[in-house]
Amino acid sequence: MIASLMMYQRPELAGAHDRFWALIRRRLVDAPEHLSQDADPFDVWGAPDLMLSQTCGMPYRLRLHDKVQLVGTPDYGVQGCPPGYYRSALVVRADDPRAGVVDFRDAVFAYNEAFSQSGYAAPYAHLQPFGFWFENRVQSHAHLQSAKAVAEGSADIASLDAVSWRLMRAHEPFAGALRVLDWTVPTPGLPLITGKDQDREAIFDAVAAAIDDLQADDRALLGLRGLVAIPKADYLAVPNPDEGEL
């Protein structure tokens, strides 16, 4: 069996994630003792013995939805979003005088991965009414690296998952050099998934109970409010970028 909750992993959250997993694990049968936080995400998501992991909405709808079971969606209490939903912050340097997204038409856009809902698909959809997509793009492989690229001047704008941005503001001094230019529309948040042969309902109950049992400081560190059952169809309904832009 394998389990991983790597999507919002940071050094400051490692202990809280381990304690969260211990609370989940004690309610399950044959669950792995430790999280595999450093494993390749697609290796985890595609593992035949997957017990629990968290993925992104875009790989879920493009590659995983018919190969795994949707367990539920953690609610991180993202401002301006329904429970279990999130959105992306379009961040720029605080001293950049440009006032709107159209002013960044020719800017350098940093993105983590082309399969990222928050880092790529959400800003792509956000810009469609304005009639453009960034021609000058640089791949960073992580939201943190995208934000750093903007702060350090090697990029001009990035799209960051609201939870990741909240964690950066709490733990990264460079975040003070950035400001939010705009927000994308809310979409279903990062879902928890399990293998086809697992007891999805038992895992949902275990995660929901574990969130309730978290100590207040761990709950605050992780930002967890609860677990929401968002229908699979709602994930699949989120639009993808044009194929030629991926």
Side-chain angles (χ1 to χ4, degrees):
M1 291 293 176
I2 190 169
S4 177
L5 298 172
M6 83 290 274
M7 297 301 283
Y8 292 128
Q9 177 70 310
R10 296 182 53 93
E12 301 88 353
L13 275 58
H17 273 127
D18 288 343
R19 290 185 288 273
F20 181 36
W21 173 243
L23 291 171
I24 297 171
R25 179 177 177 270
R26 72 185 188 186
R27 294 177 171 86
L28 299 174
V29 178
D30 295 330
E33 184 175 355
H34 300 292
L35 292 168
S36 298
Q37 297 292 69
D38 296 325
D40 178 85
F42 280 98
D43 288 345
V44 174
W45 301 335
D49 58 348
L50 174 62
M51 171 64 74
L52 182 67
S53 189
Q54 188 173 26
T55 186
C56 175
M58 191 172 178
Y60 173 74
R61 66 179 179 268
L62 289 179
R63 296 174 59 175
L64 300 172
H65 71 90
D66 58 347
K67 299 178 176 64
V68 299
Q69 296 185 79
L70 177 63
V71 174
T73 306
D75 175 25
Y76 291 94
V78 177
Q79 186 176 7
C81 297
Y85 279 60
Y86 76 153
R87 55 183 180 167
S88 297
L90 296 175
V91 299
V92 300
R93 284 182 296 282
D95 60 0
D96 193 313
R98 287 173 282 190
V101 291
V102 293
D103 300 321
F104 285 81
R105 180 186 297 267
D106 297 320
V108 177
F109 173 67
Y111 67 98
N112 54 339
E113 303 286 353
F115 58 76
S116 170
Q117 170 60 31
S118 56
Y120 200 92
Y124 183 90
H126 187 77
L127 292 179
Q128 291 313 289
F130 299 99
F132 76 96
W133 178 230
F134 298 111
E135 294 294 332
N136 302 315
R137 302 190 295 270
V138 57
Q139 186 176 7
S140 71
H141 301 287
H143 279 310
L144 181 63
Q145 299 306 318
S146 295
K148 284 183 176 179
V150 176
E152 295 170 357
S154 58
D156 300 305
I157 186 170
S159 181
L160 310 176
D161 165 349
V163 179
S164 295
W165 172 234
R166 183 167 69 192
L167 291 169
M168 287 181 218
R169 287 188 288 116
H171 302 290
E172 298 290 348
F174 75 79
L178 302 174
R179 64 180 172 90
V180 176
L181 179 74
D182 207 352
W183 292 95
T184 65
V185 299
T187 55
L190 276 59
L192 296 175
I193 57 173
T194 189
K196 280 284 194 178
D197 297 329
Q198 300 299 324
D199 187 337
R200 186 201 66 81
E201 292 184 1
I203 296 172
F204 181 100
D205 292 343
V207 174
I211 294 173
D212 289 342
D213 289 348
L214 278 169
Q215 295 295 316
D217 53 350
D218 281 347
R219 187 180 294 110
L221 275 172
L222 299 175
L224 286 169
R225 302 286 186 86
L227 188 63
V228 182
I230 296 176
K232 175 179 178 177
D234 290 6
Y235 280 96
L236 301 186
V238 177
N240 297 311
D242 293 340
E243 187 171 344
E245 299 292 353
L246 293 176

